[in-house]
């Protein structure tokens, strides 16, 4: 089995009596064909500079992921880090391949690999299965000199990170001591994204109703903005286009703590600009643009639907097709009393026209949308019948990104999975003020308590 090559490691002390170590590793692009090229991966670990008395340092190192397409922040910037350290863990934060400092994917870096077909073929190696192979290769490197009983580690995954955890449990359970999954129990029996979006559009519609119930005055404000966009072409500061479709993508924020209020602030500014000046001012457009991260994280748009694909299925722009089955999202009328609904965490072909850094990637996205013959991501039989790795998971009833219903189906199929299910938190609870500690308290209660 392959072992990651450690390129460099540097350690630094940071305020709070913490030591941050920065690692660069080299791993194969394709773990099944190591001669196809390599990727450079970046990770940070954190541990106490002065270890608290009475706490035994475990060798397990949780690795958090989110995305697909987003790197990790520096460890001391996570609210839950201190709690994990207090439990005796060292923690390693990995920038998954294609993000952050790990061979980041951008329009420019993809162009180095050739045309659209070559780029799409390259990107097939940026799903959960490849990320997990990276982690296993890193684990073998870091634990090679330890006793065998100390070579296993714990993993933690938020959102897409949970998908990676389930792949890890399916393919390399021998490397794991335990798994924590936060809002990320993937639909393991789904082989293409249509059922996922059929489910999630209902949740997005529900969050739209909550938005307009709280800010009923925004029904008309949104119509005013849509009416303006129907007749005017608006260029954003980055050079992108503020189309009606892109405007409606503000709804991706509805599933976060404080997301409804954040969208209201943007709507208020956009409508106020129209009322005062008859156009949108630069500060308002800059504020709007800052809420959408696809230009800086194109992997998110390119691979989002592919994270569900298994077997001989193509995504074929699933979210765009499935939306037509939900008429409430098709209403764009500015002359009636029906509210215009925002969309959620869905990827549409129009995004590859509206976002500056996605425009040249449209052919690549089209090829990915038509690709079939995707490797299996999960082993349902192993997860259901022979899994002996303890799993502790949170499920959020009002999750707008990972279906609560499908997550519960996965939990029921996953041997050794203990869950806490709540309607008092949203998908990003682990990073939300006042929620992070509660999430960890509940997860560790599952880990440490006994159910008779």
């Amino acid at each position: 089995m392959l072992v990651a090559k450690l390129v460099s490691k540097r350690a630094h002390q940071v305020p709070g009596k913490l030591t941050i170590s920065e690692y660069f590793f080299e791993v194969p692009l394709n773990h099944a064909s190591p001669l196809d090229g390599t990727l450079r991966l970046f990770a940070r670990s954190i541990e106490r500079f002065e270890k608290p008395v009475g706490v035994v340092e475990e060798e397990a190192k949780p690795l958090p992921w989110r995305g697909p397409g987003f790197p990790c922040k520096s460890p001391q910037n996570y609210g839950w880090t201190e709690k994990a350290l207090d439990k005796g863990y060292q923690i390693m934060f990995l920038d998954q391949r294609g993000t952050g400092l790990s061979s980041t994917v951008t329009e420019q870096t993809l162009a180095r690999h050739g045309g659209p077909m070559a780029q799409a073929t390259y990107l097939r190696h940026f799903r959960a299965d490849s990320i997990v192979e990276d982690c296993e290769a890193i684990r073998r490197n870091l634990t090679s000199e330890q006793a065998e009983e100390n070579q296993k580690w714990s993993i933690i995954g938020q959102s897409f990170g949970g998908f990676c955890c389930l792949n890890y449990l399916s393919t390399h359970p021998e490397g794991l001591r335990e798994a924590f999954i936060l809002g990320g129990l993937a639909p393991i029996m789904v082989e293409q994204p249509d059922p996922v979006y059929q489910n999630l559009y209902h949740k997005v519609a529900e969050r739209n109703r909550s938005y307009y119930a709280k800010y009923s005055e925004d029904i008309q404000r949104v119509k005013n903005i849509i009416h303006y966009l129907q007749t005017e072409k608006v260029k954003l500061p980055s050079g992108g286009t503020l189309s009606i479709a892109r405007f409606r993508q503000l709804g991706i924020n509805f599933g976060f703590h404080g997301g409804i209020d954040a969208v209201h602030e943007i709507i208020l500014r956009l409508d106020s600009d129209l009322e005062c000046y008859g156009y949108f001012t630069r500060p308002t457009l800059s504020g709007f643009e800052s809420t959408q991260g696809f230009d800086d994280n194109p992997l998110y748009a390119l691979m989002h639907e592919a994270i569900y694909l298994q077997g001989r299925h193509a995504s074929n722009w699933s979210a765009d097709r499935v939306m037509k089955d939900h008429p409430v999202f098709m209403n764009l009328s500015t002359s009636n009393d029906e509210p215009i609904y925002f969309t959620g965490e869905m990827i549409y072909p129009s995004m590859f026209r509206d976002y500056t850094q996605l425009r040249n990637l449209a052919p690549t996205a089209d090829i990915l949308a038509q690709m079939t013959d995707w490797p299996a991501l999960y082993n349902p039989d192993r997860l259901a019948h022979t899994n002996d790795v303890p799993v502790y998971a949170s499920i959020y009833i009002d999750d707008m990104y990972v279906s609560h219903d499908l997550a519960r189906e996965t939990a029921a199929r996953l041997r050794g999975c203990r869950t806490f299910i709540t309607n008092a938190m949203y998908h990003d609870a682990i990073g939300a003020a006042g929620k992070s500690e509660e999430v960890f308290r509940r997860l560790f209660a599952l880990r440490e308590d006994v159910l008779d």
Side-chain angles (χ1 to χ4, degrees):
M1 299 181 75
L2 293 171
V3 177
K5 177 183 176 182
L6 179 61
V7 177
S8 67
K9 175 185 176 182
R10 297 288 185 272
H12 309 277
Q13 188 181 358
V14 299
K17 297 182 179 180
L18 303 171
T19 297
I20 304 288
S21 297
E22 299 170 341
Y23 301 80
F24 282 100
F25 298 95
E26 186 177 280
V27 297
L29 167 66
N30 181 358
H31 286 266
S33 183
L35 299 181
D36 288 353
T38 61
L39 297 177
R40 178 181 168 100
L41 300 183
F42 177 72
R44 294 184 183 96
S45 68
I46 185 168
E47 57 187 313
R48 296 282 189 201
F49 182 70
E50 294 180 3
K51 304 205 170 38
V53 175
V55 175
V56 177
E57 187 78 52
E58 297 191 18
E59 295 299 333
K61 302 183 181 193
L63 286 92
W65 302 286
R66 59 188 286 265
F70 292 95
C72 291
K73 298 182 293 187
S74 190
Q76 69 270 31
N77 294 326
Y78 287 92
W80 57 268
T81 296
E82 289 284 343
K83 190 167 184 63
L85 292 174
D86 288 343
K87 289 290 183 179
Y89 291 96
Q90 299 177 46
I91 317 170
M92 175 169 278
F93 293 75
L94 175 70
D95 285 355
Q96 63 188 262
R97 53 169 58 198
T99 73
L101 298 180
S102 293
S103 299
T104 187
V105 167
T106 68
E107 176 197 345
Q108 293 84 358
T109 61
L110 280 176
R112 300 169 62 192
H113 299 282
M117 179 57 75
Q119 293 174 19
T121 301
Y122 174 76
L123 289 169
R124 284 174 65 93
H125 301 294
F126 286 76
R127 300 199 309 157
D129 47 358
S130 295
I131 294 169
V132 166
E133 292 298 331
D134 291 342
C135 292
E136 256 302 277
I138 291 172
R139 184 189 67 83
R140 290 193 291 270
N141 177 293
L142 296 179
T143 64
S144 61
E145 297 181 1
Q146 297 178 9
E148 184 176 350
E149 61 270 20
N150 293 328
Q151 291 183 2
K152 294 184 178 184
W153 61 7
S154 302
I155 55 174
I156 181 168
Q158 151 70 10
S159 192
F160 173 66
F163 292 38
C164 294
C165 289
L166 289 165
N167 181 276
Y168 215 142
L169 291 162
S170 296
T171 57
H172 293 291
E174 70 281 358
L176 300 179
R177 176 178 294 157
E178 60 193 349
F180 297 88
I181 298 176
L182 301 94
L185 283 173
I188 60 175
M189 303 304 293
V190 165
E191 294 187 346
Q192 50 95 2
D194 283 21
V196 175
Y197 290 125
Q198 289 288 5
N199 192 298
L200 290 179
Y201 269 117
H202 290 293
K203 184 59 67 176
V204 177
E206 182 181 302
R207 295 301 291 157
N208 271 274
R209 290 191 289 272
S210 296
Y211 172 70
Y212 285 123
K214 182 172 185 177
Y215 293 110
S216 58
E217 65 272 26
D218 284 1
I219 294 176
Q220 186 57 50
R221 286 173 174 157
V222 168
K223 288 181 179 290
N224 295 342
I225 296 164
I226 293 286
H227 180 73
Y228 180 79
L229 294 176
Q230 286 172 339
T231 58
E232 300 290 335
K233 184 174 181 178
V234 178
K235 186 176 181 179
L236 291 163
S238 70
T241 301
L242 177 49
S243 65
I244 293 172
R246 183 165 180 175
F247 168 71
R248 295 172 73 200
Q249 289 158 25
L250 281 173
I252 196 173
N253 297 288
F254 281 166
F256 300 137
H257 287 274
I260 281 178
D261 300 326
V263 171
H264 167 69
E265 289 296 318
I266 296 170
I267 299 304
L268 183 61
R269 287 203 61 151
L270 288 166
D271 186 62
S272 178
D273 275 5
L274 290 181
E275 184 177 351
C276 293
Y277 312 113
Y279 58 86
F280 303 130
T281 63
R282 181 182 175 89
T284 295
L285 292 176
S286 295
F288 170 89
E289 199 167 32
S290 69
T291 69
Q292 300 176 325
F294 294 104
D295 278 327
D296 291 333
N297 303 281
L299 192 63
Y300 188 25
L302 287 163
M303 298 301 292
H304 193 267
E305 293 194 348
I307 67 175
Y308 298 103
L309 292 171
Q310 304 184 85
R312 302 193 63 82
H313 297 278
S315 67
N316 193 24
W317 297 107
S318 175
D320 192 55
R321 289 185 292 101
V322 171
M323 185 166 66
K324 298 177 177 63
D325 297 334
H326 299 264
V328 69
F329 289 96
M330 305 308 291
N331 168 48
L332 293 176
S333 174
T334 61
S335 59
N336 61 27
D337 295 330
E338 293 298 317
I340 295 174
Y341 276 26
F342 293 87
T343 53
E345 190 186 35
M346 288 88 179
I347 305 301
Y348 303 100
S350 65
M351 297 169 72
F352 292 84
R353 297 188 296 271
D354 291 340
Y355 291 82
T356 310
Q357 296 299 309
L358 297 184
R359 286 172 181 162
N360 290 337
L361 297 175
T364 303
D366 277 326
I367 292 170
L368 285 166
Q370 303 306 320
M371 275 187 167
T372 58
D373 193 22
W374 294 90
L377 293 169
Y378 313 110
N379 185 330
D381 287 340
R382 173 179 286 178
L383 294 175
H385 302 299
T386 63
N387 177 58
D388 59 1
V389 178
V391 179
Y392 312 104
S394 62
I395 299 175
Y396 307 117
I397 292 173
D398 293 317
D399 199 322
M400 203 182 80
Y401 312 96
V402 176
S403 164
H404 158 258
D405 295 330
L406 298 177
R408 293 192 67 169
E409 289 180 12
T410 294
R413 292 177 178 273
L414 180 54
R415 184 173 183 263
C417 179
R418 301 183 68 183
T419 63
F420 85 86
I421 302 172
T422 179
N423 64 354
M425 300 179 188
Y426 295 124
H427 181 77
D428 64 332
I430 188 60
K435 301 294 182 181
S436 177
E437 288 193 4
E438 175 65 10
V439 171
F440 262 79
R441 186 188 69 80
R442 297 289 295 274
L443 286 175
F444 278 104
L446 294 175
R447 179 183 186 266
E448 296 165 356
D449 203 358
V450 174
L451 183 65
D452 292 331

